[in-house]
């Protein structure tokens, strides 16, 4: 690991700013800790509300208190959770929700970010700003303060590359497209995916657009791509052996791309390598974790349980929930199911059928929030029914558990296509939610197709572990990135720092 070379040069001070949602806070906290291990000074921005949840539900304060150069700063957040825009159905307009979230946060975050970027003393001064890809107002502030920016995009490389291609998909007339009629046609304008990406695999927000919302989408992504290209570096939570060809496509537009993932496993590896290995409790859950499910798993045979979780944001209609539930029960497999209290948009109609209650009592276990990493690593887990969120996908890869994908929005549609068609480590159930299909596909993942899926998964899982171990690509990329961050601080800002574009 890179160490500070010259005590006389300014300490690199990295400001990290995630989108305030679980799937972004978690990997950015992992990155923050990795930078702390390299003795960089790190300031991490949370919203007040998220910080309270983290403090309540994890050991976050103790975990970071051992790093002298680490500080949490919180953004005033007088935005009660119940008033925040949340997805409410599977055809959710995620772009609208994101826009509302970012616009609501910007005026509250700006004064603090300005204070940090224009820092009064040399020791306080932020020398590099790592910004979540969705927070464009922060890019503008960094530019004004002439602080170098590193873009961090939490999605897969394949998801990000499909975002990059949205402007040209619109220009070529491939987006918008008619849902139902053309969903299985192959998309021509996402380079590197021309042989297998169907319209239904494009990011959810390409669906059902009219002309004016297409213009908004095009503008939005043109700006995104521009900002990412202008950043000094781009960090991705992935690894070369998994997404090499797509990383090459991204590199054709952004010259300095650092795939350093899977970050959760990378952090674990580096913590274990410390002279006195540091404790490895790196939970970043915004929810209270129910650990009782691990005792339930302990009583089950090897690879006999399907773990069912749809991340932090997915919501179901009452009908979808009932189909899924019936499919789980009909599969006759043991299931561990994360049912967040806010997982359905409306209440269930009428009484729950007796056979569902009975089947759940016999073979099921429900929790509001699971220790997912621990669950996936448990010997009793044989499959993962997932929404294909990128963190969940990487966690499944590291644990070597084949997936059944029911993608919900954004990059998840692309991820599930790669899982099933490119990597062969799972099956894709997208655009269906029917009890007999759920039943059939659970049985395929857990029995009929188990061997072939496990074979591919073993290879990819081993490659993931090699990438984060000493000498592996993600390990070396991170060392190189740390060296670059140190070099940036010596050059003292954007004016004098060399551009990599
Ligand atoms: N997660 C968890 N317990 C649960 C469900 C999810 O710890 O019961 C974690 C999961 O391990 C992952 C994150 O929440 O790190 C979800 O991120 P992902 O990118 O998969 O999906 P998102 O929530 O962003 O849709």
């Amino acid at each position: 690991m890179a160490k500070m070379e010259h005590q006389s040069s300014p300490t690199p001070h990295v400001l990290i700013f995630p989108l305030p949602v679980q799937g972004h806070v978690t990997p950015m906290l992992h990155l923050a800790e990795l930078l702390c291990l390299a003795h960089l000074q790190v300031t991490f921005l949370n919203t007040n509300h998220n910080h309270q949840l983290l403090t309540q539900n994890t050991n976050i304060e103790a975990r970071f208190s051992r790093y002298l150069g680490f500080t949490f700063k919180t953004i005033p957040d007088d935005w009660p959770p119940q008033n925040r825009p949340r997805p409410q159905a599977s055809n959710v307009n995620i772009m609208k929700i994101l826009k509302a979230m970012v616009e609501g946060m910007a005026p509250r975050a700006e004064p603090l970010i300005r204070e940090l970027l224009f820092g009064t003393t040399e020791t306080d001064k932020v020398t590099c700003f790592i910004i979540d890809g969705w927070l464009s107002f922060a890019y503008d502030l960094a530019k004004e303060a002439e602080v170098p920016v590193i873009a961090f995009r939490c999605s897969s490389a394949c998801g990000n590359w499909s975002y990059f291609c949205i402007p040209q998909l619109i220009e070529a007339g491939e987006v918008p497209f008619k849902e139902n009629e053309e969903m299985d046609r192959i998309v021509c304008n996402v380079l590197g995916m021309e042989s297998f990406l169907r319209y239904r695999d494009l990011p959810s927000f390409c669906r059902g657009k009219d002309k004016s919302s297409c213009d908004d989408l095009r503008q939005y992504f043109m700006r995104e791509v521009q900002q990412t290209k202008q950043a000094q570096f781009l960090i991705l939570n992935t690894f070369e052996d998994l997404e090499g060809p797509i990383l090459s496509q991204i590199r054709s537009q952004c010259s300095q791309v650092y795939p350093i993932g899977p970050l959760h496993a990378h952090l674990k590896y580096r913590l274990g390598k410390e002279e006195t290995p540091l404790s490895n409790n790196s939970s970043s859950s915004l929810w209270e974790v129910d650990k009782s499910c691990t005792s339930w798993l302990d009583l089950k045979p090897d690879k006999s349980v399907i773990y069912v979780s749809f991340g932090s944001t997915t919501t179901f209609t009452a009908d979808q929930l009932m189909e899924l539930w019936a499919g789980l029960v009909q599969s006759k497999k043991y299931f561990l199911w994360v049912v967040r209290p806010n997982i359905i948009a409306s209440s269930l109609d009428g009484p729950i059928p007796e056979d569902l209650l009975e089947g759940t009592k016999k073979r099921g276990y429900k929790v509001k929030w699971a220790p997912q990493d621990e669950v996936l690593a448990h010997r009793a887990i044989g499959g993962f029914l997932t929404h294909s969120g990128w963190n969940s996908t990487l966690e499944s890869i590291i644990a070597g558990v084949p997936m059944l994908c029911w993608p919900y929005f954004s990059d998840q549609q692309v991820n599930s296509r790669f899982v099933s068609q490119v990597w062969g480590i799972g099956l894709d159930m997208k655009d269906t939610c029917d009890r007999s299909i759920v039943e059939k596909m659970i049985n395929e993942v857990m029995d009929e197709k188990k061997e072939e899926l496990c074979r591919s998964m073993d290879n990819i899982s081993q490659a993931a572990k090699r990438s984060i171990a000493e000498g592996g690509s993600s390990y070396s990329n991170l060392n190189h990135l740390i060296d670059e961050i140190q070099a940036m601080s010596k050059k003292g800002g954007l004016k004098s720092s060399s551009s990599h574009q």
Side-chain angles (χ1 to χ4, degrees):
M1 164 139 338
K3 296 268 178 204
M4 272 203 304
E5 290 150 22
H6 304 294
Q7 290 303 326
S8 57
S9 56
T11 310
H13 180 184
V14 184
L15 177 62
I16 302 188
F17 188 20
L19 192 72
V21 295
Q22 182 75 73
H24 292 234
V25 171
T26 298
M28 288 182 92
L29 277 170
H30 290 145
L31 174 65
E33 193 163 358
L34 282 163
L35 299 183
C36 288
L37 286 171
H39 309 284
L40 304 189
Q41 190 182 335
V42 176
T43 299
F44 194 94
L45 290 180
N46 269 329
T47 57
N48 254 337
H49 180 70
N50 276 357
H51 197 67
Q52 270 168 25
L53 291 175
L54 281 170
T55 323
Q56 232 167 276
N57 297 317
T58 70
N59 68 343
I60 198 91
E61 300 275 6
R63 173 178 154 200
F64 280 95
S65 66
R66 63 195 178 206
Y67 304 113
L68 293 179
F70 182 86
T71 319
F72 277 118
K73 294 272 186 195
T74 54
I75 297 165
D77 186 33
D78 44 346
W79 191 20
Q82 63 273 24
N83 292 355
R84 284 175 208 174
R86 268 182 18 85
Q88 290 296 341
S90 59
N91 62 350
V92 60
N93 186 342
I94 187 64
M95 292 304 296
K96 216 164 151 187
I97 289 169
L98 267 171
K99 208 162 161 255
M101 180 188 271
V102 174
E103 280 170 6
M105 188 170 58
R108 293 172 173 87
E110 203 175 308
L112 175 61
I113 296 178
R114 278 186 183 282
E115 196 182 308
L116 289 160
L117 292 181
F118 290 94
T120 42
T121 66
E122 269 312 296
T123 45
D124 276 357
K125 207 168 164 44
V126 168
T127 57
C128 151
F129 193 3
I130 302 185
I131 307 176
D132 194 304
W134 297 99
L135 298 171
S136 50
F137 70 93
Y139 283 79
D140 296 338
L141 293 173
K143 198 167 175 189
E144 202 186 311
E146 300 186 327
V147 170
V149 166
I150 299 181
F152 183 105
R153 306 198 58 101
C154 295
S155 310
S156 54
C158 56
N160 274 302
W161 180 237
S162 67
Y163 296 165
F164 273 45
C165 295
I166 284 177
Q168 73 217 41
L169 283 166
I170 295 174
E171 274 149 36
E174 291 209 289
V175 171
F177 52 89
K178 287 199 189 86
E179 276 193 75
N180 305 326
E181 282 173 33
E182 304 179 65
M183 298 294 265
D184 287 321
R185 243 181 48 202
I186 295 290
V187 176
C188 304
N189 279 282
V190 183
L191 285 182
M193 303 187 197
E194 303 94 330
S195 60
F196 58 85
L197 196 77
R198 304 160 303 176
Y199 281 75
R200 68 171 76 253
D201 305 317
L202 283 170
S204 60
F205 34 73
C206 294
R207 295 182 177 203
K209 294 273 167 259
D210 54 30
K211 171 88 180 66
S212 82
S213 51
C214 255
D215 284 345
D216 288 351
L217 197 67
R218 187 166 147 270
Q219 296 286 336
Y220 183 85
F221 279 99
M222 277 169 65
R223 181 158 188 229
E224 283 264 309
V225 173
Q226 206 45 38
Q227 274 177 333
T228 308
K229 278 187 188 174
Q230 281 168 1
Q232 301 280 301
F233 309 113
L234 168 62
I235 299 176
L236 291 174
N237 187 11
T238 188
F239 56 104
E240 303 277 356
D241 281 345
L242 186 69
E243 297 200 272
I246 300 300
L247 285 165
S248 302
Q249 299 289 349
I250 295 178
R251 287 183 171 118
S252 70
Q253 307 236 347
C254 309
S255 56
Q256 300 279 322
V257 183
Y258 285 90
I260 58 171
L263 278 165
H264 71 292
H266 198 159
L267 175 61
K268 244 181 224 171
Y269 180 82
R270 297 236 186 191
L271 286 171
K273 272 184 90 246
E274 287 292 294
E275 270 163 36
T276 317
L278 293 166
S279 110
N280 197 2
N281 184 354
S282 299
S283 166
S284 315
S285 277
L286 300 173
W287 278 264
E288 186 180 356
V289 174
D290 183 347
K291 289 202 165 209
S292 65
C293 54
T294 53
S295 322
W296 181 81
L297 286 174
D298 287 344
L299 303 174
K300 301 291 171 281
D302 287 2
K303 294 192 191 298
S304 65
V305 179
I306 180 141
Y307 171 57
V308 186
S309 164
F310 300 95
S312 60
T313 318
T314 309
T315 51
F316 286 83
T317 61
D319 278 355
Q320 286 171 332
L321 191 91
M322 291 311 288
E323 289 303 305
L324 177 77
W325 193 353
L328 283 171
V329 169
Q330 283 172 202
S331 77
K332 302 270 191 302
K333 296 287 177 234
Y334 291 117
F335 59 93
L336 167 57
W337 186 8
V338 178
V339 188
R340 291 188 336 267
N342 57 1
I343 203 163
I344 53 168
S346 55
S347 49
L348 294 175
D349 302 329
I352 308 294
E354 204 44 50
D355 58 330
L356 287 197
L357 295 173
E358 204 42 47
T360 306
K361 211 158 123 198
K362 267 196 205 145
R363 289 181 300 277
Y365 196 85
K366 289 189 195 173
V367 289
K368 292 181 182 150
W369 192 254
Q372 182 160 304
D373 208 14
E374 229 173 289
V375 164
L376 284 169
H378 198 286
R379 52 147 200 88
I381 297 293
F384 182 11
L385 173 45
T386 171
H387 68 312
S388 296
W390 189 236
N391 293 292
S392 295
T393 305
L394 288 174
E395 288 158 14
S396 210
I397 286 177
I398 285 288
V401 175
M403 286 165 268
L404 173 54
C405 307
W406 189 72
Y408 181 60
F409 61 39
S410 299
D411 63 324
Q412 295 158 15
Q413 269 78 11
V414 190
N415 298 343
S416 62
R417 187 61 170 167
F418 271 73
V419 163
S420 59
Q421 195 68 19
V422 180
W423 304 322
I425 55 178
L427 304 179
D428 189 1
M429 201 170 68
K430 70 162 60 86
D431 297 325
T432 61
C433 196
D434 174 293
R435 59 189 66 197
S436 56
I437 296 179
V438 175
E439 174 196 347
K440 177 174 161 280
M441 293 188 88
I442 289 177
N443 280 306
E444 285 175 353
V445 169
M446 299 292 284
D447 295 327
E448 294 141 40
K449 298 196 173 158
K450 177 175 147 185
E451 271 181 31
E452 63 177 278
L453 293 174
C454 283
R455 221 175 300 123
S456 309
M457 184 51 110
D458 272 357
N459 287 335
I460 289 186
S461 191
Q462 291 310 321
K465 288 173 190 153
R466 279 195 303 275
S467 79
I468 49 156
E470 193 149 9
S473 60
S474 292
Y475 188 95
S476 309
N477 285 341
L478 179 61
N479 282 355
H480 192 190
L481 178 71
I482 289 164
D483 290 343
E484 292 283 7
I485 292 173
Q486 285 171 333
M488 263 181 203
S489 75
K490 284 177 204 152
K491 286 176 192 154
L494 204 53
K495 259 190 208 149
S496 42
S497 124
S498 66
S499 168
H500 293 272
Q501 302 303 318

